[in-house]
């Protein structure tokens, strides 16, 4: 399996590359279908959070911190705008110093005031911010204080785990050129308007208005005030973006290449056709074209999987009036999990481009967050054992379907809330449009049928699946869904710190199946707020055993095909890119 | 007569499948400058013979024998050779003009095409000018406007003349005119015959005329060929034939010829019922008052086809409608039964107003009437067998016992019941026409609108059909609007006669009065133009008419 | 006409072909029983002949021959029923509109316009979220989105047919409009109708594939030829021809069978062209 | 004619209005609304509520429709939820591309199919007729995406004579400058249409061969060629014209596959992606465009039909 080598980067001068790095040159990068970039402003509003928006933006306007998923334990300082943060002992305040050498394109230094500008706009307009989560940033900042030109301090409302706070909150911050952008209307004067909430609203509205003019991204003078290694040279309405080396960049991470073109494709097939004709330098193979690896390689490409910092799973709807009580039985979930032949699915159906996942923390690259239990699959594929679990709890297989014959809460009974005669017939909503997913679901259906669980599958476009499997109360009509899969591209991509407060906490917004377990809640909380280094591992192990969802193999982010002449590429599992470090070799 | 024949057919045999021997050993010769008439029973193979001269028979036909045009054997020719002959050497006027014109092109275009096909260097403009001249030659007034019209906008007679114009366009050596004047009123017919004579005189054209009208034969033919059941039973000069018919069939034919003379009217058992005075007493079968019918012409202009026509047909009365070709007779007929909406005026059918009738009422009313269309080919659904076509009114009215009834109807129009399984395109023109008649009388209607019902029938069959018609009329007492060009037939069947000219009803009155004592000029001309089936007498009449 | 139809060698070939296909799909599984319920990942993508699979196995290890039979049942049922349904509705609708003319024609044709204007794709997507896919709902949905074309076609023919004398003649005999439409207009437009019907069946079978791709298809493990084909096509570069050709050929065979039958039908109506 | 046009334009407006109402209603029968699709699985309930409020989804249906229509009347098609552009500018960019692609492929299809159909009609029941029929059906039964793939493999990889992508230029001039790139997409689009058109043509030619006027034309000495290509052809175009009128809207949504395989973002793809991402303003805008195209197409078809068949002319005057 090529999955264990996630982020197999090659450092400059890597002898394995053969040849010497060059300055200059241009590279074409293929974006996946429907990834059309449409935003460069450092504050994204809803609908503008496509992955490539972030990638492009952080080349132009440096965020405070950037993580490189190959090491999720600390930020990649070189790529950000600030030095490492300093947390107070009690974990209730953080002090940050901006890098000394960075300047905006208009010659102004990048200062703490620029961060304050960003912060003020967010604070006054948090409802319009796509990544706003109630209780989190900026709600958890009690006070923002400028210490000096380059330094500021933030007081937090409670103690937080520093790793979590840096990775999941501070990464959202991004200095913005206050001296150029603090304007209330077109042609207006620059001022300190952001310091009053009304002023901040006006400034925000003006800037967002400008950000809505996609066709002007390459020409609007506002966006020329960049501090990153690249500037926007071309930004077409169909989504083709060309980044050009920023000659005024003053940091230590200057770009090697002259231009990088991010090219949109209408379909994976179209991309593959172009790739096969050598039309892109950095592209990808659709999973089903993996057998072409040899051909592609012979054409001067390296084929490398790009693992995702994600997990893939099928939530149980614990609030479903019919099957909820069944799902609540751990032994049932265990039986189901033991029927998922993850290894074979990953190998045969995903052609080795997926990694079996056993718990809530991404399995690769293996880091310090993986719990011991999750590392070693606690529920090995074993249909006999799975079936035995059912029969030993009072289920009898009638006409191929397990039927509860011994209701009750005892050890050998079906369990609390499961009525006599209940049949194990599950309905699964799944995402359409992918052969791999279709086949995975059929495999699941097939193996579940062998232990007496009848699974009926309905596939719908991704959006419908999401619409049809909301968080719900048992009495609501919308709660009729039982199982739901939306993970063809991975179900959940984590920030650098893979804590589960958004998906597995009892009150979490995206806890679709309303999983609720007091111990799990406690562990989730600890992972974000305690400073204990084992908090994540404990959480990981517990959920791997408690099965809030069906764990499924996690597909790679993509399988890349990279020209052999292109060096310096790091395939960041968090789907970020650092094109400033790419270079061509002779 | 030593000149080599322009057209020579020797021992022609044509069969369709194993059963139909359409032509059985026919030999005919036409010399340059000679006009030969072919007469004969309907279905005797006249049209098939003529079509075989140009190789136009459907592939189902098996042809043997020799056909020579100007000494060249046509049957041996390939496509290109045939094409060179078609139109230029031998031209043909087809029997049924309605379907013979391409519906998608203007008549001007179609005539011009005939010219340009053989005169490669003729300019388009010149071709259209010539086309207009040709249309005028065949007696079409307003030829320039007609050039721009489509076939469906023309009356039957106009279409037929367009066909003639097309045929003579290239001044062919041989002209075959298959029932070329059936849809023409007698005045126009006389003009056309004059035209043919001129063509013969000027160009030495050899002309083969196929017709049922013995008057026409007497008028124009030098020689006559009589066909019967696929064979030639007699050939003679026109004088000989009329004076001394040899074959049994010829004799029968000549005795059946209707003549336009006083007292020719068939006596009917219940004539008393229909004395003019009494007819008015009952509800009239058809009452048209101030009928106006307009068609849309070019650029929204309106053409009045029927102009304030008022006409009443009493119950059981037969009214003959005669008049110029294109004068609106067919339009009156169609309007009477509600197929065309009048622009103004009213139609009362069997005592009920047609103008207001809708849906079920209209259908009920229509079931008591029936219509025979002028063009039998287009009024039969090409995808239904003859049997089904005739059975259709029976089915509509849910009358059982159809098989027997269909057989009886076929027999009454002198058709073999075996034709019921054939499709309309497998019949001769006259046979198709008889299907139309059989269909119209299937329901014992109270009113029959008959638009040229016997134009394609040879006189012997025509006599049978007219007998049948009158017999039925006696028995059932239906009223009838009888549209025809054949004044002799009108004289035979009509109680009253109405005459139309350019959309107007110019004269109307009892038969004897209109036919033998006409008030109007037009009527007088009409009567004078009617050819009589006697060569000597006809020559005299012609001289008289020309001096008129 | 029936006689004519059977005298037509092409038509009989079509009928025989269709009968064979039906036999293959509905009786075949009795002769060649396979497990189409369970996946067999260990045996995925076996080449034909290996391990007793005459046509190999698909990407989750099911016997392709058996799958062809099962898939054919769905395809044939939906294709034929939906194709005929669409042809039926469309023909009658178009004939009535064209024959009647006037405001009724205007209204009926504007309904068709509106129907065509709403992309079928969109309707399918919406219905995907409303209905659970069964063979019956599929037939109805596909039938309901595809009758618009024949309606337009037949209407165009009817428009010129209605002015023909034989229709007029029948009207003059007091025949009902119904008779005019069904006995004269439609039989005389039969060429167009039949050609369209063959396309409708093909379309329906292909549409089912499309529909499965959208997620409206019959739920797995059921399948159909179109879905098999579109799935197999992803393996073009791998050379797994047995995932592409059997389904592809099967589709072409049904389409051709219908075409032959259609041509035969057409010929038996087109009595005038015999011998040509 | 003017009256006819006026009447038809009135009807067309009704159709367009009807279509927007239907689509509007259909969109609102989809439970949940677009918010989840737009904001993604990670969106919070509050964000969804805010989205729904901002775009009026918390209002009554008639109110929403009215908002949409009044926008329309001011020429405002709204702004895409996901593409950060106005719907009208998106449509403006995409329509020419799609028109070029579909227009040309229809043209090519017609140019091939009409002669083919006529030719087959004449040589009915010959070996070649059967052979071509089979080919045509294989062409038709092959899904477009497979066909496109084969074309790419053959003409861009095995015999690399044509580019694998359609022209990527944003302007029409740019598209035509790279006209070689248009070949494969047009071919892929044309093949299925060739099948359809040629079958109808063949059938109609058969119908007309049996008519009497054919005999007349032959009797005039017209060559077989002329009889077929002029006389019969004109009368056989009815179904093709009827198809064409309907083709216009279908082309818009039908070009989807070709657009996606040849990396040629046009209307089809715009619509398809919008349907997938629940981008309602684009959906509605695209449907509007398609509806307009439909009524125009159907109008043109009717006029064309009257042009080729004088017997129907009465119906449109
Ligand atoms: N559909 C039509 N559109 C335009 N003009 C028409 C139409 N039908 C008939 N006419 C015209 O109306 C006039 C009368 O036609 P009609 O068929 O009634 O003549 P008719 O008296 O029956 O002649 P014929 O004896 O030659 O059959 C003709 O000038 C004809 O050109
Ligand atoms: N295509 C055909 N298939 C079968 N039989 C045919 C076909 N065409 C003509 N016939 C038959 O051939 C015979 C001769 O037909 P033809 O048309 O020559 O008659 P005709 O002498 O012109 O009669 P009419 O005076 O009625 O026009 C008829 O019995 C007719 O039924
Ligand atoms: Mg004849
Ligand atoms: Mg007339």
């Amino acid at each position: 399996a090529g999955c264990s080598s996630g982020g197999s980067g090659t450092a400059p001068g890597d002898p394995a590359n053969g040849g010497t790095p060059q300055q200059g040159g241009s590279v074409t990068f293929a974006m996946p279908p429907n990834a059309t970039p449409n935003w460069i402003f450092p504050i994204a509003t809803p609908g503008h959070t496509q992955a490539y928006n972030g990638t492009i933006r952080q080349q132009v306007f440096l965020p405070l911190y950037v993580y490189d998923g190959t090491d999720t334990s600390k930020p990649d300082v070189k790529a950000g705008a600030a030095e490492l943060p300093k947390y107070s002992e009690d974990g209730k305040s953080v002090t940050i110093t901006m890098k000394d050498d960075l300047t905006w394109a208009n010659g102004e230094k990048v200062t703490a005031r620029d961060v304050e500008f960003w912060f003020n706009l967010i604070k006054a307009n948090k409802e319009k911010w796509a990544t706003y989560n109630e209780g989190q940033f900026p709600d958890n900042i009690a006070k923002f204080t400028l210490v000096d030109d380059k330094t500021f301090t933030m007081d937090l409302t409670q103690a937080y785990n520093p790793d979590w706070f840096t990775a999941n909150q501070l990464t959202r911050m991004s200095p913005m050129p206050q001296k150029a952008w603090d304007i209330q209307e077109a042609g207006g004067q620059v001022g300190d308007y952001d310091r009053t909430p009304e002023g901040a609203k006006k400034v925000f509205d003006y800037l967002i208005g400008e950000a809505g003019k996609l066709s002007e991204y390459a020409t609007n003078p506002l966006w020329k005030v960049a501090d990153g290694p690249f500037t926007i040279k071309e930004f077409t309405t169909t989504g083709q973006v060309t980044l050009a080396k920023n000659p005024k960049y003053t940091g230590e991470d200057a770009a090697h290449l002259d231009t990088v073109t991010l090219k949109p494709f209408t379909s994976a097939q179209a991309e593959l056709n172009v790739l096969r004709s050598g039309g892109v330098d950095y592209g990808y193979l659709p999973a089903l074209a993996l057998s072409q690896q040899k051909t592609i390689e012979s054409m001067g490409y390296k084929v490398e999987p790009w693992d995702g910092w994600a997990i893939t799973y099928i939530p149980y709807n614990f609030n479903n009036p019919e099957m909820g009580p069944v799902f609540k039985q751990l032994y049932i979930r265990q039986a189901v999990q033991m029927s998922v032949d993850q290894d074979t699915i990953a190998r045969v159906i995903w052609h080795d481009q997926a990694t079996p996942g056993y718990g809530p923390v991404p399995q690769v690259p293996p880091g310090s967050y993986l719990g011991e239990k999750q590392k070693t699959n606690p529920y090995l594929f074993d249909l006999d054992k799975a079936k035995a679990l059912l029969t030993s709890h009072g289920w009898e297989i009638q006409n191929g379907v397990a039927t509860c014959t011994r209701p009750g809460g005892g050890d050998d009974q079906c369990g609390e809330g499961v009525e006599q005669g209940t049949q194990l017939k599950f309905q699964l909503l799944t995402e359409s449009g992918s052969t791999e997913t279709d086949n995975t679901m059929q495999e699941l259906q097939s193996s579940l049928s062998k232990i007496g669980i009848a699974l009926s599958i309905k596939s719908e476009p991704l959006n419908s699946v999401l619409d049809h499997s909301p968080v719900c109360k048992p009495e609501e009509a919308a709660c009729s869904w039982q199982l739901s899969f939306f993970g063809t591209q991975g179900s959940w991509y984590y920030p650098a710190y893979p804590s589960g407060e958004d998906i597995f906490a009892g009150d979490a917004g995206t806890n679709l199946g309303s999983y609720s377990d007091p111990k799990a809640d406690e562990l989730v909380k600890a992972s974000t707020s305690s400073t204990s280094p084992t908090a994540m591992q404990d959480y990981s192990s517990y959920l791997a055993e408690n099965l809030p969802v069906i764990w499924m193999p996690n597909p790679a982010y993509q399988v890349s095909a990279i020209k052999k002449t292109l060096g310096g590429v790091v395939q960041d599992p968090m789907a970020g890119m650092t094109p400033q470090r790419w270079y061509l070799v002779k | 007569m030593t000149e080599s024949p322009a057209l020579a057919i020797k021992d022609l045999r044509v069969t369709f499948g194993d059963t139909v021997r359409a032509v059985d050993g026919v030999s005919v010769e036409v010399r340059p400058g000679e006009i030969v008439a072919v007469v004969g029973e309907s279905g005797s193979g006249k049209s098939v013979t003529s079509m075989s001269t140009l190789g136009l028979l459907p592939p189902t036909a098996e042809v043997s024998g020799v056909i020579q045009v100007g000494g060249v054997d046509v049957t041996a020719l390939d496509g290109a050779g045939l094409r060179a002959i078609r139109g230029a050497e031998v031209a043909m006027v087809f029997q049924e003009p309605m379907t013979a014109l391409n519906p998608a092109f203007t008549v001007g275009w179609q005539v011009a095409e005939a010219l340009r096909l053989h005169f490669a260097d003729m300019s388009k403009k010149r071709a259209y000018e010539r086309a207009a001249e040709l249309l005028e030659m065949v007696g079409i007034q307003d030829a320039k406007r007609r050039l721009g019209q489509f076939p469906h906008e023309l009356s039957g007679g106009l279409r037929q003349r367009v066909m003639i114009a097309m045929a003579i366009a290239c001044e062919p050596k041989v002209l075959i005119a298959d029932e070329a004047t059936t849809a023409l009123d007698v005045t126009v017919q006389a003009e056309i015959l004059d035209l043919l004579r001129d063509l013969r005189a000027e160009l030495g054209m050899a002309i083969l005329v196929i017709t049922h009208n013995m008057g026409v034969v007497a008028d124009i033919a030098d020689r006559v060929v009589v066909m019967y059941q696929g064979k030639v039973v007699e050939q003679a000069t026109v004088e000989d034939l009329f004076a001394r018919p040899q074959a049994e069939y010829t004799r029968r034919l000549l005795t059946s010829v209707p003549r336009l003379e006083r007292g020719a009217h068939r006596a009917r058992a219940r004539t008393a019922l229909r004395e003019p005075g009494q007819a008015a007493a009952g509800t009239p079968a058809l009452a048209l008052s101030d009928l106006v019918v307009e068609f849309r012409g070019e650029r929204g202009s309106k053409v009045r086809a029927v102009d304030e026509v008022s006409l009443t047909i009493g119950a059981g009365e037969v009214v003959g409608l005669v008049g110029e070709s294109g004068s609106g007779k067919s339009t009156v007929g169609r309007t009477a039964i509600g197929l065309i909406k009048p622009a103004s005026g009213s139609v009362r059918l069997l005592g009920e107003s047609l103008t207001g009738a809708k849906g079920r009422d209209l259908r009920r009313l229509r079931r008591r009437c029936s219509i025979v269309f002028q063009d039998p080919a287009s009024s039969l659904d090409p995808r239904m067998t003859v049997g089904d076509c005739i059975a259709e009114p029976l089915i509509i009215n849910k009358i059982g016992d159809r098989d027997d009834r269909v057989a009886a109807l076929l027999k009454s129009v002198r058709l073999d019941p075996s034709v019921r399984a054939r499709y309309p395109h497998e019949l001769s023109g006259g046979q198709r026409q008889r299907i139309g008649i059989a269909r119209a009388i299937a329901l014992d209607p109270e009113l029959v609108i008959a638009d040229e019902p016997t134009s394609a029938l040879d006189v012997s069959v025509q006599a049978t059909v007219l007998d049948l018609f009158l017999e039925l009329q006696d028995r059932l007492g239906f009223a009838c609007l009888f549209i025809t060009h054949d004044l002799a037939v009108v004289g035979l069947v009509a109680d009253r006669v109405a005459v139309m000219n350019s959309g107007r009803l110019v004269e109307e009155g009892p038969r004897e009065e209109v036919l033998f004592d006409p008030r109007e000029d037009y009527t007088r001309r009409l009567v004078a133009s009617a050819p009589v089936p006697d060569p000597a007498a006809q020559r005299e009449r012609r001289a008289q008419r020309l001096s008129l | 006409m029936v006689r004519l139809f059977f005298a037509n060698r092409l038509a009989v070939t079509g009928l025989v072909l269709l009968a064979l296909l039906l036999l293959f799909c509905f009786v075949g599984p009795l002769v060649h029983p396979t497990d189409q319920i369970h996946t067999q990942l260990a045996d995925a993508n076996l080449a034909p002949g290996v391990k007793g699979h005459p046509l190999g196995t698909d990407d989750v290890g099911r016997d392709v021959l058996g799958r062809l039979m099962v898939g054919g049942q769905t395809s044939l049922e939906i294709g034929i029923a939906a194709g005929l349904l669409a042809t039926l509705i469309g023909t009658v609708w178009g004939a009535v509109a064209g024959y009647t003319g006037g405001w009724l024609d205007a209204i009926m044709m504007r309904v068709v316009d509106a129907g065509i204007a709403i992309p079928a794709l969109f309707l399918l997507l919406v219905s995907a979220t409303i209905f659970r896919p069964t063979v019956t709902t599929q037939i109805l949905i596909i039938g309901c989105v595809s009758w618009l074309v024949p309606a337009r076609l037949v209407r165009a023919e009817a428009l010129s047919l209605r002015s023909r004398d034989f229709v007029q003649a029948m009207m003059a005999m007091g025949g009902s409009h119904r008779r005019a439409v069904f006995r004269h207009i439609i039989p005389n437009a039969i060429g167009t109708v039949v050609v369209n019907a063959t396309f409708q069946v093909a379309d329906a079978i292909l549409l089912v594939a499309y529909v499965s791709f959208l997620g409206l298809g019959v739920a797995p493990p059921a399948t159909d030829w179109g879905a098999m084909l579109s799935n197999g096509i992803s393996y073009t570069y791998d050379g797994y021809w047995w995932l592409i050709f059997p389904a592809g050929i099967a589709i072409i065979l049904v389409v051709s069978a219908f075409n032959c039958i259609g041509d035969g039908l057409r010929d038996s109506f087109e009595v005038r062209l015999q011998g040509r | 004619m003017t009256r006819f046009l006026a009447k038809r334009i009135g009807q067309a407006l009704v159709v367009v209005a009807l279509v927007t109402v239907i689509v509007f209603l259909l969109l609102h029968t989809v439970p949940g609304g677009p918010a989840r699709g737009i904001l993604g699985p990670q969106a919070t309930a509050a964000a969804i509520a805010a989205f729904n409020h901002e775009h009026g989804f918390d209002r009554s249906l008639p109110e929403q429709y009215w908002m949409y229509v009044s926008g329309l009347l001011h020429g405002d098609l709204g702004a895409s939820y996901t593409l950060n552009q106005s719907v009208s500018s998106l449509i403006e960019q995409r329509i020419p591309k799609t028109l070029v692609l579909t227009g040309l492929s229809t043209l090519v299809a017609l140019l091939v199919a009409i002669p083919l159909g006529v030719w087959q009609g004449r040589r009915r029941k010959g070996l070649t007729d059967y052979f071509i029929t089979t080919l045509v059906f294989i062409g038709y039964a092959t899904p477009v995406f497979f066909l496109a793939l084969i074309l790419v493999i053959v003409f861009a990889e095995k015999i690399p004579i044509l580019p694998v992508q359609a022209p990527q230029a944003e302007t029409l001039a740019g598209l035509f400058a790279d006209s070689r790139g248009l070949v494969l997409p047009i071919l892929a689009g044309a093949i299925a249409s060739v099948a359809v058109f040629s079958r109808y043509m063949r059938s109609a030619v058969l119908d007309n061969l049996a008519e009497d006027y054919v005999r007349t034309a032959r009797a005039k000495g017209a060559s077989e060629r002329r009889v077929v290509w002029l006389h019969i052809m004109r009368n056989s175009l009815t179904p093709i014209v009827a198809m064409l009128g309907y083709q216009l809207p279908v082309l818009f949504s039908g070009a989807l596959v070709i657009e996606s395989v040849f990396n040629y973002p046009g209307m089809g793809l715009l619509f398809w992606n919008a349907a997938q991402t629940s981008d309602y303003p684009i959906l509605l805008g695209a449907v509007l465009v398609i509806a307009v195209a439909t009524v125009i197409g159907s109008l043109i078809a009717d006029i064309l039909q009257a042009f080729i068949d004088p017997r129907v002319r009465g119906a449109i005057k």
Side-chain angles (χ1 to χ4, degrees), chain B residues 87-88 90-94 97 100-101 106-119 122 127-141 143-144 146-147 154 156-172 174-181 184 188 191-193 195-196 199 203 205, chain D residues 216 219-220:
Chain B
V90 182
M92 190 156 174
V93 181
F94 290 101
L101 291 170
T106 61
V107 295
W109 186 92
Q110 298 188 51
V111 178
E113 187 193 25
L115 288 162
R116 282 163 56 95
L117 277 172
H118 295 285
F119 305 114
M122 189 181 251
Y128 272 88
E129 280 165 17
R130 177 78 186 132
E133 285 167 32
L134 284 165
L135 290 194
E136 262 161 28
M137 273 165 75
V138 294
I140 296 181
Q141 289 145 11
K144 283 258 156 50
R146 296 289 187 193
L147 283 181
L154 301 183
L158 285 166
R159 277 185 241 191
Q160 197 156 46
R161 278 179 276 169
V162 171
M163 287 294 297
I164 297 172
M166 223 147 71
I168 61 174
C170 297
E171 303 176 347
V174 180
L175 176 68
I176 301 174
D178 193 354
E179 317 266 9
T181 58
L184 305 179
V188 177
E191 284 172 36
I192 296 286
L193 296 182
L195 175 69
L196 293 185
L199 287 172
L203 305 170
M205 207 181 262
Chain D
T216 308
K220 281 197 256 185

Side-chain angles (χ1 to χ4, degrees), chain B residues 213-483:
Chain B
N213 191 326
M214 295 313 280
V216 171
V217 174
D219 190 15
I220 195 170
D222 302 323
R223 220 150 43 79
V224 184
V225 176
V226 184
M227 283 183 71
Y228 183 66
Q229 296 198 336
K231 294 196 168 70
V232 174
V233 292
E234 182 167 359
Q235 291 207 35
T237 60
V238 75
E239 288 81 3
D240 281 356
L241 188 91
F242 278 89
R244 291 171 291 281
Q246 300 295 314
E248 139 82 35
Y249 171 73
T250 321
R251 271 198 293 277
R252 187 145 40 93
L253 200 64
L254 287 175
T255 51
S256 323
V257 174
R259 278 157 208 272
L260 179 60
E261 47 202 35
R262 275 177 212 271
H265 193 249
R266 297 276 164 114
R268 281 177 298 190
R270 286 167 28 188
T271 18
L273 242 180
R274 257 164 279 104
E275 282 310 314
Q278 270 175 318
T283 40
L286 176 68
L288 309 174
S289 60
D290 297 328
L291 196 67
V292 176
V293 181
E294 287 177 334
F295 291 108
R296 254 173 277 231
E298 286 158 277
R299 290 188 206 89
S301 68
K302 288 197 174 141
V303 179
R304 267 200 183 194
V306 175
D307 197 2
E308 306 210 337
V309 166
S310 301
L311 183 70
T312 310
I313 301 178
E317 191 183 26
V318 180
V319 173
L321 185 59
V322 297
E324 194 189 21
S325 164
S327 60
K329 303 182 296 296
S330 300
T331 309
V332 167
R334 282 174 185 248
T335 315
I337 206 157
L339 293 176
I340 297 177
K341 278 217 170 64
S344 69
S346 74
V347 180
R348 292 186 73 80
L349 201 59
L350 302 170
E352 292 179 47
S353 167
L354 189 69
T355 351
K358 274 219 181 81
R360 200 174 297 252
D361 287 342
L362 181 66
R363 284 209 295 279
R364 200 175 28 72
L365 203 54
R366 279 175 169 172
R367 279 177 201 172
R368 295 158 64 194
C369 312
S370 68
I371 180 164
V372 182
F373 282 92
Q374 184 170 7
D375 186 75
S378 56
S379 67
L380 299 175
D381 189 330
R383 285 170 215 255
M384 274 175 146
T385 60
V386 163
D388 287 341
C389 287
I390 298 182
E392 184 150 47
L394 303 174
I395 296 171
I396 290 173
N397 288 290
K398 306 196 179 66
I399 294 172
D401 205 13
R402 279 170 220 145
D403 278 356
D404 295 346
R405 186 100 177 92
V406 168
L409 283 166
L410 282 172
K411 217 177 263 153
S412 65
V413 292
R414 275 198 31 205
L415 281 173
D416 192 291
S418 70
V419 301
R420 66 190 306 168
R422 290 207 222 159
Y423 287 90
H425 72 276
E426 296 173 320
L427 299 182
S428 80
Q431 289 168 333
R432 275 195 283 264
Q433 195 164 48
R434 282 177 274 166
I435 304 298
I437 296 172
R439 181 171 68 177
I441 58 175
L443 282 182
D444 302 342
E446 290 167 53
L447 172 73
V448 176
I449 293 175
D451 196 349
E452 314 266 11
T454 58
S455 60
L457 302 181
D458 65 295
V459 283
S460 76
V461 174
Q462 172 173 306
T464 317
V465 169
L466 289 180
D467 280 345
L468 164 80
F469 186 78
L470 293 170
E471 184 237 317
L472 277 177
Q473 215 249 345
D474 263 353
R475 190 151 53 79
L476 306 168
F478 58 75
C480 178
L481 178 68
F482 200 101
I483 303 171

Side-chain angles (χ1 to χ4, degrees), chain C residues 9-66:
Chain C
R9 217 173 316 143
L10 192 61
V12 176
T13 315
L15 265 189
V16 170
L17 196 58
L18 186 62
L20 285 180
L21 282 169
L22 287 171
L23 214 64
F24 171 75
C25 296
F26 290 92
V27 182
L30 302 178
V31 182
H32 178 75
T34 49
D35 178 3
Q36 294 297 330
I37 309 288
H38 295 110
T39 54
Q40 206 66 57
L41 292 187
D43 290 346
N45 298 326
L46 292 181
V50 178
K51 286 205 202 166
H53 298 290
L55 276 179
T57 59
D58 68 1
D59 55 356
V60 287
R62 284 175 297 224
D63 181 71
V64 171
L65 184 62

Side-chain angles (χ1 to χ4, degrees), chain D residues 223-246:
Chain D
S223 64
E224 202 54 28
R225 261 242 219 79
R226 189 177 170 88
V227 168
V228 169
W229 294 110
L230 203 65
H231 290 259
I232 292 189
M233 173 105 128
R234 183 79 173 266
N235 285 289
S236 306
L237 283 174
T238 306
I240 301 274
V241 167
M243 282 296 287
L244 271 184
Y246 138 90

